Amino acid sequence: MSPRHIIIVGFGLSGRTTVNAVIEHHISYTVIEMNPATVERCMPGGLNIIQGDARDAEILRQAGIERATDVAVTVPTDDVALEIVELARKMNPTARIIARCTFVSGGMEASKRGADETIIAEQVVATEFGRMITAALER
């Protein structure tokens, strides 16, 4: 089995949390981030980060898509995430792709385009509301 390599698309809160977990496990990774200021700020600290749009096949190649075992698409915009999922799946049919989506409908579309797993904000929020109201009712 070849060594793991994870591509994390987006370096907001979700991307940073993902990178921290990957670093803790000493796994090879590359972050793709669109914001040049973020990339410039993070590179001196040793973060393996490149600036670019993951909807561009060349950027995915620079990040190591051919050898990627996992791709975490953490960007907050469903349309962008769906395009990235589709391209990543075409370029690497075996990588495990996890996509962030806002609504269940976006998660279903991400699955159709090749995501193995989805994290759907609408479901996470619903779960938290249920948990909080249950706790309040039990007081």
Side-chain angles (χ1 to χ4, degrees), residues 4 70-73 85 89 95-101 107 110-111 114-120:
R4 291 187 89 159
D70 306 83
V71 179
V73 183
V85 166
R89 177 55 68 218
R96 180 169 157 259
I97 300 175
I98 306 169
R100 168 185 176 173
C101 295
S111 294
D116 296 289
E117 296 181 57
T118 56
I119 298 169
I120 300 168

Side-chain angles (χ1 to χ4, degrees), residues 9-11 32-34 52-56 60 71-89 97-102 106 109-110 113 115:
V9 182
F11 200 59
I32 301 173
E33 170 58 45
M34 294 245 325
D53 187 338
R55 294 173 290 180
D56 178 342
L60 284 176
V71 179
V73 183
T74 73
V75 297
T77 309
D78 284 16
D79 291 345
V80 173
L82 292 172
E83 287 182 53
I84 295 166
V85 166
E86 190 169 6
L87 181 58
R89 177 55 68 218
I97 300 175
I98 306 169
R100 168 185 176 173
C101 295
T102 304
E109 183 61 27
R113 294 191 190 196

